Amino acid sequence: MSLVQGYSSSSDSDKELHNIPVLPKDSKYNIVTVPNVDISTHELVPIDNVQITSTKETRNFGGGIERNYYDDATWKLQSMKSKRKSENSSKQESKKLRKKRRKQGDPEDIDYLGPWADYKASSESDASISGGDKSDTDEDANDRDEEVDQDANNEEAEPEVFTEFFGSKGKDYLGRTYMHVPRDLNVSLTNEPGSQECFVPKKIIHTFEGHAKGVNKLEFFPKSGHLLLSCGNDGKIMLWDVYHKRELLRAYYGHRLAVKDVTFNSTGKKFLSCSFDKKIILWNTETGDIERTIKLKAIPNVIKFNPNNENEFIVGLTNHKIEHYDLSVSNFEVPIQTYDHHLGAINSLTTIDNNNRFMSTSDDKTVRFWDWQINIPIKFISDPSQHSMPSAAIYPGGKYIALQSMDNSIQVIQGHGKFKFNKNKWFDGHNVAGYGIDVEISPDGKIIMSGDSKGFGYFWDWKTCKLVNKLKVSDKPITCIKSHPQEASKVVMAGMNGHIYYCD
């Protein structure tokens, strides 16, 4: 005979069986199992003091043990669920509290105790949000939430879009604006770029001062170079006169955050700008009017016109994608193609192979080559020892492509065919690691130049790869450098101090 139903053991002896008390059928006692006690131990409990739901369960030792174990496990499960619910509710409350504090946005109302500490309410409004002040009614809380939402909407409102002319006179004696290429100079600005022999600049001849913060891009007017376009971290785009008075001609205000890139079309009558406010604007260079505005889903880094059709352009984004837009269609805000094979933010876009293709570089340390409107790269360059390449420049004629590398060097690849690296072309000596610094080649192809993180401008001979000159222009990094398309030795450089240096 087994003490527990369904269990048998050879160790059960007749003596142990005789020790079990036997109750008569009409007895007022019943056997009840005690939890967490050995099954051989029992108590005699009066039936009147015990609630019996089923006589079968109490008579069956195995059923009683299973029932007690099941109840204990169920209790543990329910306690775990309730604990998780309380933790989730507390997390949601803390998220709501952080949202409300961010919306208020006044640093004087918050005591910041470090990145791993909680915010300490330093005013009555913060205390009421955190639940410390219970005297506020629900109506007051709702009014306060409405005010916070209105303030947040006002902060995110679009800035006033306008342009301002700063020139001494808008038109000359023949009624021509600054768009007209001047003819009263010692140099002809109508020649083909690269027809002149270029030399290395030796000094700063002028400084353009207008940007309150760092400059992100410089662009000469196509072919003639009599105008200079610049954009900066102050959210402004400025157009400068390179000759005559060298004054600021016009400023374009359309972005509320730093402007990352600008680019002219082939005629210079229009230009595109992209900014950290996730907007692309097509501007009229002469009047400053906005012709198109496109809102993006990610921050743009670089923008480039399609030379074969200037109603189209491509933009490289920080979400690893390159988007292709067509401004001539009705739904121009929707990209006609997306190139999404990169795994990092797009750093540069360059048209190659007689404008039949384009090249892209990215933070994923690869270089990819694309056909227009085909989302499959025809080739990509990737190597474990390769560094990120933030900028590129085309050699005149398109035979070579110079790539700025984050290992403090400039490397050169073929401009067509298999796009292999040219091991005989290697330029170093400058410091660019950690900065997105431009690289530039002179119009005649004899000089290659780059900025520097210590405020220098570096100039190398293309054939010998030797450093010809380095020019100190600033105490802060020089990130932008551009060679004049018509002058023999004039170069503009700019960086993080907001000044633009014109060197000769």
Side-chain angles (χ1 to χ4, degrees):
M1 181 179 175
S2 175
L3 291 175
V4 180
Q5 185 179 2
Y7 176 81
S8 63
S9 175
S10 59
S11 63
D12 295 339
S13 61
D14 295 337
K15 184 178 180 180
E16 291 175 348
L17 292 175
H18 286 297
N19 293 332
I20 297 175
V22 179
L23 299 176
K25 291 182 180 179
D26 56 349
S27 175
K28 64 177 181 180
Y29 293 96
N30 200 350
I31 299 175
V32 178
T33 59
V34 180
N36 300 326
V37 181
D38 186 57
I39 61 174
S40 61
T41 304
H42 300 83
E43 291 181 358
L44 294 177
V45 183
I47 298 176
D48 298 337
N49 298 333
V50 180
Q51 295 180 356
I52 302 174
T53 57
S54 174
T55 57
K56 291 183 179 180
E57 292 181 2
T58 56
R59 291 174 183 172
N60 189 347
F61 290 123
I65 292 170
E66 292 176 358
R67 186 186 73 245
N68 292 329
Y69 177 77
Y70 175 77
D71 294 341
D72 199 13
T74 306
W75 179 82
K76 289 182 179 180
L77 181 62
Q78 294 297 332
S79 62
M80 289 175 65
K81 287 184 178 179
S82 61
K83 185 178 180 182
R84 289 176 183 174
K85 287 182 180 180
S86 62
E87 289 178 354
N88 292 335
S89 62
S90 63
K91 287 181 180 179
Q92 292 178 357
E93 290 177 358
S94 62
K95 285 182 180 179
K96 291 180 181 179
L97 181 61
R98 283 197 296 270
K99 280 186 179 179
K100 289 182 179 180
R101 286 173 175 168
R102 286 196 193 102
K103 285 182 179 179
Q104 287 196 355
D106 189 359
E108 295 181 356
D109 294 339
I110 297 174
D111 292 337
Y112 184 64
L113 304 178
W116 292 278
D118 295 332
Y119 283 103
K120 178 183 177 182
S122 60
S123 64
E124 293 181 0
S125 59
D126 288 338
S128 61
I129 291 174
S130 61
D133 187 2
K134 300 297 183 181
S135 61
D136 290 346
T137 61
D138 294 338
E139 294 180 358
D140 295 337
N142 293 331
D143 294 340
R144 185 171 60 251
D145 292 340
E146 291 178 359
E147 291 177 359
V148 170
D149 293 338
Q150 291 177 0
D151 294 339
N153 293 332
N154 292 333
E155 290 179 0
E156 296 178 358
E158 296 296 328
E160 184 181 359
V161 178
F162 64 97
T163 182
E164 187 175 358
F165 181 75
F166 291 94
S168 56
K169 56 181 180 178
K171 297 181 180 179
D172 60 6
Y173 66 99
L174 293 177
R176 299 173 298 191
T177 63
Y178 52 76
M179 297 292 291
H180 175 71
V181 179
R183 303 293 179 89
D184 55 342
L185 303 173
N186 296 329
V187 59
S188 176
L189 301 182
T190 58
N191 296 333
E192 188 68 21
S195 58
Q196 78 280 10
E197 184 180 3
C198 296
F199 303 94
V200 175
K202 296 181 179 179
K203 62 179 180 179
I204 301 173
I205 60 174
H206 186 72
T207 301
F208 298 96
E209 298 180 1
H211 287 285
K213 298 180 180 179
V215 178
N216 291 326
K217 186 66 181 293
L218 296 174
E219 192 80 6
F220 275 111
F221 195 85
K223 294 184 179 180
S224 64
H226 70 288
L227 300 176
L228 176 65
L229 190 67
S230 65
C231 65
N233 291 330
D234 54 2
K236 299 177 183 178
I237 305 170
M238 296 185 177
L239 187 67
W240 307 85
D241 183 12
V242 178
Y243 297 97
H244 301 110
K245 294 183 179 180
R246 292 173 179 163
E247 59 184 352
L248 174 63
L249 296 176
R250 185 177 291 276
Y252 307 84
Y253 310 99
H255 296 286
R256 61 184 178 86
L257 295 177
V259 183
K260 183 63 176 168
D261 193 14
V262 289
T263 180
F264 278 114
N265 63 358
S266 60
T267 61
K269 294 181 179 180
K270 300 177 182 179
F271 69 90
L272 285 168
S273 65
C274 62
S275 168
F276 280 94
D277 60 4
K278 300 181 183 180
K279 284 201 312 182
I280 296 175
I281 298 178
L282 177 66
W283 300 87
N284 185 301
T285 307
E286 183 176 0
T287 63
D289 296 333
I290 294 178
E291 299 187 0
R292 291 283 191 275
T293 301
I294 297 176
K295 294 185 178 180
L296 304 172
K297 296 181 180 179
I299 297 174
N301 274 340
V302 59
I303 194 166
K304 184 73 65 176
F305 273 106
N306 182 357
N308 304 317
N309 181 8
E310 293 195 338
N311 287 321
E312 300 177 3
F313 68 89
I314 52 178
V315 56
L317 307 174
T318 56
N319 64 353
H320 316 164
K321 296 181 181 179
I322 304 170
E323 294 183 348
H324 192 148
Y325 290 88
D326 188 354
L327 298 173
S328 62
V329 298
S330 57
N331 57 341
F332 61 89
E333 294 184 350
V334 179
I336 60 176
Q337 182 59 276
T338 301
Y339 313 88
D340 56 0
H341 285 254
H342 276 292
L343 302 177
I346 310 300
N347 291 329
S348 71
L349 297 171
T350 310
T351 55
I352 60 171
D353 201 6
N354 295 324
N355 300 327
N356 293 323
R357 294 168 178 165
F358 69 92
M359 180 192 75
S360 61
T361 63
S362 170
D363 280 344
D364 61 5
K365 302 180 183 180
T366 64
V367 183
R368 299 178 189 261
F369 303 86
W370 314 79
D371 283 322
W372 294 100
Q373 298 191 26
I374 299 177
N375 185 23
I376 299 176
I378 60 173
K379 183 179 176 63
F380 73 93
I381 302 175
S382 178
D383 187 83
S385 61
Q386 189 168 301
H387 290 73
S388 178
M389 298 178 178
S391 63
I394 293 290
Y395 188 84
K399 187 177 180 181
Y400 301 103
I401 304 172
L403 294 167
Q404 184 82 268
S405 179
M406 282 293 187
D407 61 347
N408 298 328
S409 67
I410 299 174
Q411 303 179 28
V412 178
I413 61 175
Q414 296 176 353
H416 52 80
K418 295 184 179 180
F419 303 102
K420 290 185 178 181
F421 279 100
N422 189 338
K423 296 181 180 179
N424 296 325
K425 296 292 182 184
W426 181 280
F427 307 90
D428 56 7
H430 59 317
N431 295 285
V432 297
Y435 297 89
I437 293 178
D438 291 343
V439 60
E440 176 72 349
I441 301 175
S442 62
D444 64 347
K446 291 184 177 181
I447 301 169
I448 182 170
M449 59 196 79
S450 170
D452 177 73
S453 62
K454 297 182 179 179
F456 288 92
Y458 279 75
F459 303 88
W460 296 269
D461 183 85
W462 175 265
K463 287 186 178 180
T464 63
C465 299
K466 293 182 179 180
L467 181 65
V468 179
N469 187 25
K470 65 176 183 178
L471 183 62
K472 179 73 171 180
V473 295
S474 175
D475 295 330
K476 293 186 178 181
I478 295 296
T479 57
C480 307
I481 186 167
K482 208 73 177 178
S483 179
H484 196 285
Q486 296 292 343
E487 295 283 355
S489 59
K490 288 187 171 58
V491 176
V492 288
M493 290 182 282
M496 293 187 177
N497 63 356
H499 296 168
I500 302 173
Y501 303 97
Y502 193 30
C503 305
D504 188 7

